[in-house]
Amino acid sequence: MPDSSLLHELISSAAVNSAEAIALTYGVRTLGYGELNSAVCGFATGLRQIGLPRAGRVGIYLEKRFETVIASFGAPAAGGVFVPMNPLLKPEQVAFIAQDCAVQVLVTSPERLALLAPVLHTCPALRHVVLTEPLRHPAALPPAVTLHHWADVLAAPPAAGHRVIDTDMVAILYTSGTTGRPKGVVLSHRNMVAGAKSVASYLGNGPQDTLLAALPLSFDAGFSQLTTAFHSGARVVLLNYLMPRDVLKAME
């Protein structure tokens, strides 16, 4: 398998090796490595088209689903920085993170946008909201914010992007804020790729494996389930659960 030095290359390298292999499972749906790589590239192009600058912050406020993964790898592919937000956070907590690291693009769902709309005026850097599905009811957004639909962003025509190197910032992961305000931890492409290679090595992961993503993707250990699997060409099953028995049932 071609070696990876950038976060999104974990997917593109696996796609070169085996495009038909399953990368993601969510419910009854699956996504192959080739399909996932195409979606990541399309999202990256769409972000550049709407004006995401180099190192621009892309907040992702979603439960575990295909769009969450695509956005998390597509933002770095565009030269940006992804900021995963725990889906259990309240609107005021999401707004704090968006303010703290100057999120310019927010990826979320119509249901979550309805909750966030009253606090978005406190996020001065926010310019774009990308919705996973069309709105059923109008949302009162700040005048400076433009609404985009997921399908339209992915359909952007190919275009040259920003140069990305392995020491570039790739993500800002926020602590839980148990004893104070959450703090953003800055990671580079090299940090995350080295971590994926290290974990896959000592666990002995390979293309035959299935990894269950039960932890939030906003936590480093949770997101590592993705990077470790993609480096190995393995499959990740995305699970949003309520009770411990849901995890046991998924494992079975």
Side-chain angles (χ1 to χ4, degrees):
M1 186 179 295
D3 194 33
S4 306
S5 60
L6 304 176
L7 183 66
H8 52 282
E9 289 177 349
L10 294 173
I11 295 174
S12 61
S13 295
V16 168
N17 187 61
S18 185
E20 300 303 319
I22 297 175
L24 291 174
T25 295
Y26 180 49
V28 298
R29 299 170 59 204
T30 61
L31 203 60
Y33 272 101
E35 297 173 296
L36 178 58
N37 185 53
S38 295
V40 167
C41 292
F43 188 73
T45 300
L47 286 179
R48 292 193 295 264
Q49 187 178 70
I50 65 176
L52 182 73
R54 181 177 172 82
R57 277 58 158 165
V58 179
I60 304 168
Y61 184 49
L62 289 169
E63 69 280 12
K64 288 190 284 286
R65 53 191 290 174
F66 289 164
E67 291 89 347
T68 311
V69 179
I70 292 166
S72 298
F73 286 81
V81 177
F82 78 97
V83 183
M85 299 165 168
N86 192 321
L88 299 180
L89 292 180
K90 297 177 180 179
E92 292 76 15
Q93 295 170 305
V94 173
F96 170 77
I97 292 174
Q99 297 163 19
D100 189 61
C101 67
V103 164
Q104 294 168 270
V105 178
L106 177 66
V107 183
T108 191
S109 65
E111 296 78 15
R112 292 180 182 275
L113 179 63
L115 299 175
L116 292 175
V119 299
L120 290 184
H121 68 279
T122 66
C123 308
L126 186 64
R127 291 295 177 269
H128 304 276
V129 171
V130 179
L131 286 183
T132 52
E133 294 94 17
L135 275 177
R136 294 182 181 179
H137 306 286
L141 299 178
V145 176
T146 302
L147 198 62
H148 306 270
H149 295 303
W150 179 265
D152 295 336
V153 174
L154 257 66
H162 304 293
R163 180 171 178 260
V164 182
I165 60 175
D166 63 352
T167 54
D168 283 345
M169 187 191 322
V170 70
I172 303 176
L173 305 185
Y174 273 79
T175 62
S176 57
T178 305
T179 59
R181 289 284 199 177
K183 297 175 177 63
V185 179
V186 176
L187 297 169
S188 69
H189 284 267
R190 183 183 294 178
N191 291 148
M192 300 201 82
V193 172
K197 293 178 179 179
S198 174
V199 174
S201 174
Y202 69 69
L203 291 180
N205 290 127
Q208 75 284 351
D209 288 331
T210 294
L211 282 72
L212 180 63
L215 293 172
L217 300 182
S218 54
F219 293 168
D220 56 352
F223 197 81
S224 177
Q225 301 301 297
L226 297 177
T227 58
T228 302
F230 295 162
H231 171 67
S232 307
R235 177 175 72 123
V236 178
V237 176
L238 302 174
L239 177 67
N240 299 295
Y241 68 92
L242 295 176
M243 303 294 291
R245 65 172 175 268
D246 298 330
V247 179
L248 295 175
K249 184 182 294 186
M251 291 171 63
E252 184 181 23

